[in-house]
Structure formats: structure tokens, C-alpha cells
């Protein structure tokens, strides 16, 4: 009888451990549960969204780890990118991103845009007080020098299609409760940010972000059955 009780106790203990394991990263410490889930573009995938800015040094350095993570990304996961906007120059950069995506040349110009801003402080915009206007010659040169049609890129910058993308991106940014860059959102439900308490004092914050993303992907996969 004692042996049966001991076995039963051990099984309960193992069950408790199994329940504790998913709590490795706690909500409020390493991620936030959004007050309202944001619809995914493709419900057949678990979407992981990066919110970034070309002018953000942290985003620039996050590109390397993110690309490595993307190479090991499971088939049921899709990586999305949304350029953040909270000041005028960011809108110029967001337009460049959406134009490159629309032209199918994002793989050619994404890294060069990051590099030009991070390393050369080339902002692709002219400042007049608080206003920023696109530097069309610099934008055209960026696209042309990287094997794309620079003139077409400039023409698309203020097109209806790109204006719509800007509005959609801003709407999602608000829904995701963006607080800075880079940040990650999983399945339209969970926001991961190094500004959260669990990341304080951690030297590997960006790599830890991806570990939290993996945890949340597994959580979402389990919930989907």
C-alpha cells in the first residue's frame, strides 16, 4: 500500500513539474498578453511579427540573430516585419520598406538601408524644423545601386498602395501597444520587449527575446491543438 501511495505521490509531483515547465517565461515579466488579439494575415501559420526602425541601432544589431533564428523557423511559423512610426523621419523609412516589398526587392535593399543609416547616418530625408521630406535622389540611388529601379521606387513612395500600407502598419502598431524597437509579437496575442522586467540586467537581451518567442510559439501551437 505504501508503495502505491509513494508511486501516486511521485506521479503527482511529475505532473506538477510538467505544469510548471511552461511557466519558464512569465507574462508581465518576459512578455505581455495584449488586451485584444490582433487578427493574423494567415491563420494557417503562427505569425511572428518584428516591429523595427531602420534608424534604430538595436534593430540593426538584432538583424543578425533574427536571421539565424529565421533559418531554423518551423514550417508552421511565418515571420512578418512592420516598420514602426512615431516621428516623421520614421515614416520616410517605412515607405522605403513598403516600396521595396511591393517591388519584390526587399532582399536586395533591406540590409543596405540599415547599413547606410547605422554606419553612415544617411537618413534619406531632409529636415525642415520638425518636418522631414524624402530625399528622392538618395532614395533612387539606394535602389539603383542595389539592382532595383530607383525611379520607380521614388514614384511609388507616395502612391495609394504605399499610403494604405502605412495606415495598416500604424493601425497594427497601435493594436500591438508598441513601446519601442525592436519588439516582437507572436500570434497577434503576445508582445515581447526588452523593456519588460524580466530582461533587466540581462546582457543577452536580444537572444533572450528570441527564446521567449520560441516559448510563445510552442504555447500557441499547444493551444491550437
Amino acid at each position: 500500500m505504501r508503495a502505491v501511495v509513494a508511486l501516486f505521490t511521485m506521479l503527482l509531483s511529475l505532473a506538477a513539474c510538467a505544469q510548471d515547465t511552461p511557466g519558464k517565461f512569465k507574462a508581465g515579466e518576459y512578455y505581455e498578453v495584449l488586451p485584444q488579439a490582433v487578427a493574423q494575415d494567415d491563420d494557417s501559420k503562427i505569425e511572428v511579427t518584428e516591429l523595427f526602425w531602420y534608424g534604430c541601432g538595436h534593430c540593426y544589431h538584432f538583424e543578425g540573430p533574427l536571421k539565424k533564428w529565421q533559418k531554423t523557423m518551423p514550417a508552421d511559423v511565418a515571420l512578418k516585419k512592420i516598420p514602426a512610426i512615431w516621428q516623421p523621419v520614421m515614416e520616410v523609412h517605412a515607405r522605403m520598406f513598403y516600396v521595396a516589398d511591393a517591388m519584390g526587392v526587399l532582399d536586395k535593399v533591406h540590409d543596405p538601408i540599415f547599413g547606410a543609416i547605422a554606419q553612415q547616418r544617411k537618413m534619406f530625408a531632409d529636415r525642415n524644423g520638425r518636418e522631414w521630406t524624402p530625399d528622392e535622389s538618395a532614395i533612387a540611388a539606394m535602389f539603383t545601386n542595389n539592382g532595383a529601379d530607383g525611379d520607380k521606387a521614388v514614384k511609388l513612395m507616395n502612391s495609394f498602395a504605399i499610403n494604405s500600407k502605412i495606415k495598416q502598419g500604424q493601425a497594427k502598431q497601435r493594436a500591438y501597444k508598441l513601446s519601442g524597437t525592436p519588439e516582437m509579437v507572436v500570434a497577434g496575442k503576445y508582445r515581447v520587449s526588452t523593456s519588460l522586467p524580466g530582461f533587466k540586467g540581462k546582457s543577452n537581451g536580444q537572444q533572450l527575446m528570441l527564446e521567449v518567442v520560441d516559448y510563445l510559439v510552442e504555447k500557441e501551437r499547444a493551444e491550437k491543438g
Side-chain angles (χ1 to χ4, degrees):
M1 183 64 180
R2 288 182 180 178
V4 173
V5 171
L7 178 61
F8 183 69
T9 302
M10 182 180 71
L11 290 173
L12 285 177
S13 177
L14 289 172
C17 288
Q19 289 176 355
D20 288 343
T21 300
K24 177 182 178 182
F25 297 114
K26 292 182 170 60
E29 291 186 16
Y30 291 93
Y31 68 93
E32 287 186 344
V33 180
L34 296 176
Q36 185 171 348
V38 181
Q40 296 191 146
D41 293 331
D42 181 359
D43 282 333
S44 70
K45 301 280 189 178
I46 298 172
E47 291 183 356
V48 174
T49 303
E50 180 205 14
L51 294 113
F52 77 100
W53 173 34
Y54 280 127
C56 164
H58 295 296
C59 299
Y60 175 69
H61 292 294
F62 188 47
E63 278 295 290
L66 184 60
K67 284 181 179 178
K68 288 181 181 178
W69 177 86
Q70 189 175 8
K71 288 178 181 178
T72 63
M73 194 169 63
D76 64 341
V77 176
L79 178 64
K80 305 282 184 177
K81 290 177 177 284
I82 294 180
I85 301 173
W86 63 74
Q87 55 178 293
V89 70
M90 297 174 78
E91 183 175 330
V92 175
H93 299 157
R95 287 180 182 276
M96 293 177 71
F97 171 85
Y98 288 126
V99 165
D101 190 39
M103 291 175 61
V105 297
L106 192 57
D107 60 328
K108 294 181 178 180
V109 302
H110 185 68
D111 288 347
I113 294 172
F114 252 133
I117 295 175
Q119 298 172 13
Q120 304 167 31
R121 302 310 300 167
K122 192 169 188 176
M123 300 305 288
F124 299 100
D126 298 314
R127 186 174 185 176
N128 181 13
R130 294 185 177 181
E131 298 299 318
W132 291 81
T133 56
D135 183 341
E136 294 184 350
S137 61
I139 293 169
M142 169 55 68
F143 279 79
T144 300
N145 292 341
N146 289 282
D149 188 335
D151 291 336
K152 181 179 179 180
V154 169
K155 289 178 182 177
L156 284 173
M157 285 287 287
N158 287 299
S159 65
F160 175 80
I162 301 306
N163 287 339
S164 296
K165 287 288 186 181
I166 291 289
K167 290 178 181 178
Q168 291 167 13
Q170 288 178 311
K172 283 205 168 182
Q173 173 181 314
R174 289 191 296 271
Y176 290 152
K177 307 297 181 183
L178 179 70
S179 65
T181 53
E183 290 187 353
M184 307 286 282
V185 174
V186 178
K189 299 177 181 178
Y190 312 107
R191 183 177 67 88
V192 184
S193 171
T194 56
S195 65
L196 292 169
F199 290 88
K200 299 300 181 184
K202 303 287 177 64
S203 59
N204 63 335
Q206 292 191 342
Q207 187 58 46
L208 188 57
M209 275 183 71
L210 294 173
E211 292 179 22
V212 177
V213 166
D214 283 335
Y215 162 77
L216 292 170
V217 166
E218 290 290 342
K219 176 181 172 66
E220 179 65 13
R221 187 181 290 124
E223 289 177 359
K224 290 177 75 171

